[in-house]
Amino acid sequence: HRSQYNYDPFTLHPTEDHYSYPLVDSEDLSKMVERPRGVRMLARDFIFDSLYNPHYGYFSKQAVLLPEGNTSFTNGDRDDCQEGMEPVDPFTRPGGFDFASMRHEADFMRAVEERYRDFEEKVAEIARKRDKEEEEEEERKDSTSTATKPYSAQGLEEAQLRGQMLARRAKEGVQEREVQAMAAKQVWHTPTQIFQPYYARAIARYLVAEYKLHLYPYDDLVIYELGAGSGALAHDILDYLMMEEPEIYSRTRYRIVEISQRLAEGQRNRLDDHVQRGTVEIVNKSFLDWNEDVPEPCFVVALEILDNLAHDAIRYSTSTLEPYQAIVSIDETGDMHELWEPVQDPLIKRYLSILRSIRPASLPEPAPHFLKYLPGFVRKALSDHFPFYPNLTPPHYIPTGSLQFLDVLRRHFPLHRLVISDFDSLPDSIQGVDAPVVQTRHQGTMVAVTTYMVLQGYFDIFFPTNFPVLRDVYTKVMSSDAYHHLPCSSSSSSTTANAGKSPKEFEDPTPDDFQPRPFAPPRPSPLNTSSKLRPDYFSSSRNNVKLYSHSEFLERYAEPLRLKDGSNPMLSWYANASWFLS
C-alpha cells in the first residue's frame, strides 16, 4: 500500500489490522446501538449509517427542522399546525413570513436569522433545564447512597456503569457537553418552509396541470412524497387542492414514505385530518426498502432527497485508469482510515458500466486531461518512478444510492412521473468530483469540515447532483424490458360509472365526497382508452426528461411573490438548485 494512494502526503498510514477487520454493510450497522469499532465498510455504508442509523443517525436522532413561525418547541416536532378542514387563506395563515411588509431581501434574511436565533435560544433553555435536573438527580442519588447503603452492590454497579460510559466518551475524544451542544442545534430549513405557501403551491399547480393534461378523468391523482420533513409540503399541496380544485382533491391519494420514525409521527399529527379522511397515508420505512408494486399512474415527489442518499468514493489508477473503491476502516479506538482496493462491489461496477455506456469516449472525470495523450507505458513510468506523482486520481463520488432509488422506481412504479428538486452545486465541499459538504452547526454557526469520515450522527453529509448525468442514467435504467406490456390501473372499489365520461360531465363534489374513508384503492381505468395510450405516454415521459433551473420552474408555475422593492427572494435563493421532471 504505497504512499501515493494518499493524495495528502501527511496522511498517516493505517496499521495492518485495518485490512483484516470484518466487512459490514448498512444492514449490519443498523442493528448496532453504539458506533461501530473494529470493522470495515464501503463509503456508502458509512455515510448511510452516519445519517440514518436508528440509534445515533443524524436524521434519526439529532437533526430537527426549523419551526415555522413563533411556535412552541417540543423535541423538534411540530404539533401546533392543525387547521381545521375549512379552507383558510394560505397567504395570511400564521407560520409564514409576511413578505408584503418586507422592504427588500436583507429584511427577509434578517427574519430567517431571527427565527434561527429564537429557536436556538429555546433549545439552549431546554438544555439548561435538563442539565440542572440531571445534576439534582445525581446529587439526590449520591446523598441517598451515602446515607443508606454506602457499599451496596447496586451503588457499586451504578458507579461502574457510569465510569464505563465516561471512559468510552473519553476514548472517542469527545466531551459530553460539546456533543450535546452540537446535537441540540442540528437544525435546517427547506424552501417549502421559508416560502410557505408559495413554493408548495407551485408544485401543486404543476401536478394539477400534468394530471389534467394526461390522466384526468380516468385516474386518481396519486402522489408519493419521499422524506416529507415536517409535512409542510403535503399540508400546503392538499390545502391548494381543497381550495382551488375540490373535485381533484376528492380524487387525491397522498402517500408519504418517511424513514425517520420521529418525523413520521410529526407528519401524522400535522396531517391528521387528511389521514382521517383517507386522503393521506404515512409509511414509515426507507424508500430503498420499498417492495410493493404500484401499477397505477402516480407522481413521485423527491425534494432534497438525492443529496442525502449514500454515495461511493472512487479513485482511478493514473497508469491504467482502473477504478478503486473506498473502504472506511474503524479501529478499536474509533480512528478512521480510508483504504483503497480494486472495485469489487456489484453496485459500483454496475454504475460505472452505465456511466461508460453514456460517456463512452471520455476519461474518468477526476483524471487529468493530459493522461489521454500519454501511452500506457508512459503513465506507468510516471506512477512507478516519480515519488511525488500520484498513482490515484482525486476521488469521484458516485451516486450509487440514486441508482438504488431508480431501481425501486423501475421495479415497483412502472407508471410513475418523477419530480425532483435538489442542489446542482455546493460551496465548501470537500476535495473531489461531485464531493459532499460535511458540516455541523456549533454555537449558532455552520462549520464545514474536510472529510466525510466524521463522528457518526453529528454531521450532515450532502452531495450535489449532476442533473445531465442523472437524466442519462435515468433513461438508461428505465429503458429495461420491464416496461414492455405495462399493466393498467386496476381497482377493487370506486365507481365504474365514470368510465367514458368526458371532463365536462363530472359533477361538482358534494359534502359526501369529503366524508372519512379508508386510504382509497385505485379507481378503474377504461380499457378502451388508457390501456392503449398509457405505454406510449409513459415511455415518452421517460425519454423526454425536462431539466429546469430553480428559477425557471418557479417562474413558470409559482404565483407572484414580491417584496416592497419588487424583488422575489424565492427566485434568487436556492439558485444552485435544479428541477428534474419526467
Side-chain angles (χ1 to χ4, degrees):
H1 303 281
R2 299 172 44 201
S3 61
Q4 290 100 319
Y5 275 28
N6 297 299
Y7 52 85
D8 179 0
F10 301 103
T11 300
L12 295 176
H13 285 269
T15 63
E16 289 300 320
D17 291 344
H18 281 270
Y19 299 94
S20 58
Y21 290 139
L23 192 67
V24 296
D25 59 21
S26 57
E27 184 176 353
D28 301 321
L29 293 167
S30 68
K31 301 171 186 175
M32 297 184 181
V33 178
E34 296 184 352
R35 294 169 182 81
R37 299 287 183 270
V39 295
R40 294 177 301 141
M41 65 204 76
L42 287 166
R44 72 167 179 265
D45 293 318
F46 176 84
I47 293 169
F48 188 89
D49 183 63
S50 297
L51 296 176
Y52 301 111
N53 183 286
H55 305 289
Y56 52 77
Y58 179 81
F59 288 110
S60 304
K61 294 297 181 182
Q62 311 301 351
V64 293
L65 281 159
L66 184 67
E68 300 153 24
N70 297 320
T71 62
S72 61
F73 170 75
T74 307
N75 296 328
D77 293 327
R78 282 270 303 169
D79 59 3
D80 59 334
C81 296
Q82 299 300 320
E83 277 93 31
M85 295 302 287
E86 290 298 323
V88 297
D89 184 354
F91 300 102
T92 60
R93 185 176 57 224
F97 291 102
D98 184 8
F99 295 103
S101 68
M102 297 179 182
R103 295 169 298 171
H104 38 59
E105 287 196 30
D107 281 355
F108 175 60
M109 187 175 296
R110 279 193 291 271
V112 174
E113 291 174 351
E114 182 178 349
R115 188 166 291 187
Y116 265 93
R117 187 169 56 251
D118 291 346
F119 173 82
E120 290 179 342
E121 288 175 358
K122 292 177 182 178
V123 172
E125 179 62 27
I126 290 173
R128 285 192 293 269
K129 289 181 179 179
R130 183 193 59 215
D131 290 344
K132 184 177 180 181
E133 291 172 356
E134 289 178 353
E135 289 175 1
E136 292 174 349
E137 180 65 17
E138 287 294 327
E139 290 176 0
R140 185 187 64 78
K141 286 183 178 179
D142 290 344
S143 62
T144 303
S145 175
T146 303
T148 59
K149 1 174 223 185
Y151 304 106
S152 70
Q154 180 181 356
L156 182 61
E157 182 180 359
E158 289 178 355
Q160 289 174 338
L161 289 173
R162 181 166 180 80
Q164 292 170 2
M165 177 185 67
L166 294 175
R168 185 172 65 251
R169 287 174 177 154
K171 185 186 294 184
E172 293 176 351
V174 180
Q175 295 297 320
E176 178 181 4
R177 289 190 179 277
E178 290 180 1
V179 169
Q180 292 302 327
M182 290 164 59
K185 299 180 181 179
Q186 300 312 305
V187 56
W188 88 101
H189 65 262
T190 66
T192 303
Q193 293 174 285
I194 64 173
F195 297 117
Q196 194 176 35
Y198 296 89
Y199 191 82
R201 287 171 67 90
I203 298 170
R205 285 155 65 93
Y206 167 77
L207 296 174
V208 167
E210 293 297 306
Y211 170 70
K212 285 182 174 180
L213 183 62
H214 299 293
L215 301 173
Y216 181 85
Y218 305 114
D219 294 286
D220 286 349
L221 173 57
V222 181
I223 302 169
Y224 282 77
E225 184 188 352
L226 314 183
S230 66
L233 180 69
H235 185 277
D236 290 347
I237 286 177
L238 293 170
D239 263 13
Y240 174 85
L241 294 177
M242 286 186 65
M243 293 180 63
E244 309 293 341
E245 304 283 351
E247 180 183 342
I248 293 178
Y249 175 82
S250 70
R251 304 189 63 188
T252 296
R253 290 181 288 121
Y254 201 110
R255 233 174 171 181
I256 291 174
V257 184
E258 175 60 62
I259 190 173
S260 167
Q261 181 179 356
R262 177 168 57 89
L263 291 176
E265 291 171 356
Q267 294 157 11
R268 195 169 286 111
N269 290 335
R270 180 169 195 167
L271 302 169
D272 182 64
D273 288 330
H274 297 289
V275 172
Q276 295 299 323
R277 293 177 182 278
T279 304
V280 171
E281 181 184 12
I282 298 169
V283 182
N284 184 201
K285 68 187 302 182
S286 168
F287 186 72
L288 300 184
D289 295 330
W290 189 270
N291 55 8
E292 175 187 338
D293 289 338
V294 180
E296 59 197 319
C298 63
F299 292 89
V300 177
V301 179
L303 306 186
E304 295 185 33
I305 295 297
L306 300 188
D307 62 332
N308 284 126
L309 289 183
H311 287 54
D312 275 290
I314 300 296
R315 298 172 73 184
Y316 297 87
S317 165
T318 54
S319 60
T320 65
L321 300 182
E322 177 187 6
Y324 284 72
Q325 63 188 24
I327 300 290
V328 177
S329 178
I330 307 176
D331 66 18
E332 298 295 345
T333 67
D335 283 345
M336 302 172 189
H337 287 274
E338 215 171 26
L339 314 178
W340 297 95
E341 63 183 25
V343 169
Q344 303 174 37
D345 177 68
L347 187 63
I348 296 177
K349 285 184 175 182
R350 180 165 163 248
Y351 184 86
L352 293 178
S353 175
I354 294 174
L355 205 57
R356 283 191 294 268
S357 72
I358 62 179
R359 301 283 191 275
S362 62
L363 278 172
E365 284 199 66
H369 289 294
F370 69 83
L371 287 183
K372 69 180 179 180
Y373 302 110
L374 300 180
F377 73 90
V378 175
R379 295 199 302 260
K380 189 174 189 308
L382 286 172
S383 177
D384 290 346
H385 301 297
F386 283 74
F388 294 106
Y389 184 81
N391 64 356
L392 289 179
T393 67
H396 181 195
Y397 294 89
I398 60 173
T400 41
S402 294
L403 181 57
Q404 293 173 307
F405 166 77
L406 297 181
D407 283 341
V408 173
L409 290 177
R410 180 183 61 82
R411 187 177 304 115
H412 298 297
F413 294 79
L415 301 181
H416 73 271
R417 295 279 306 277
L418 188 54
V419 180
I420 292 176
S421 178
D422 227 309
F423 300 109
D424 53 40
S425 64
L426 291 170
D428 302 322
S429 60
I430 67 176
Q431 182 179 6
V433 174
D434 295 332
V437 171
V438 184
Q439 66 183 22
T440 189
R441 192 168 179 85
H442 186 57
Q443 296 182 352
T445 303
M446 276 296 182
V447 180
V449 298
T450 57
T451 176
Y452 67 88
M453 294 184 294
V454 289
L455 182 65
Q456 303 96 314
Y458 293 107
F459 291 79
D460 193 4
I461 305 173
F462 57 106
F463 296 80
T465 296
N466 186 324
F467 278 85
V469 171
L470 174 64
R471 175 188 57 200
D472 294 344
V473 172
Y474 174 84
T475 302
K476 191 81 174 178
V477 171
M478 298 303 160
S479 63
S480 164
D481 289 342
Y483 282 104
H484 295 169
H485 311 296
L486 291 173
C488 299
S489 296
S490 60
S491 175
S492 59
S493 67
S494 188
T495 172
T496 57
N498 291 335
K501 280 191 176 183
S502 68
K504 293 182 179 179
E505 293 178 284
F506 279 86
E507 299 177 352
D508 291 332
T510 67
D512 291 339
D513 294 322
F514 292 90
Q515 292 305 308
R517 54 190 170 96
F519 189 73
R523 298 171 185 262
S525 292
L527 297 178
N528 62 342
T529 54
S530 54
S531 64
K532 294 180 180 179
L533 300 177
R534 185 163 294 121
D536 291 339
Y537 158 59
F538 281 91
S539 176
S540 171
S541 72
R542 288 189 294 275
N543 293 323
N544 294 289
V545 173
K546 296 182 177 64
L547 301 182
Y548 292 114
S549 70
H550 175 78
S551 59
E552 285 173 340
F553 176 85
L554 294 175
E555 285 172 341
R556 182 181 294 255
Y557 292 104
E559 296 151 308
L561 184 161
R562 291 284 182 269
L563 307 185
K564 286 185 175 180
D565 66 351
S567 62
N568 184 348
M570 190 166 62
L571 300 182
S572 55
W573 284 44
Y574 297 94
N576 61 329
S578 292
W579 289 84
F580 176 109
L581 308 173
S582 72

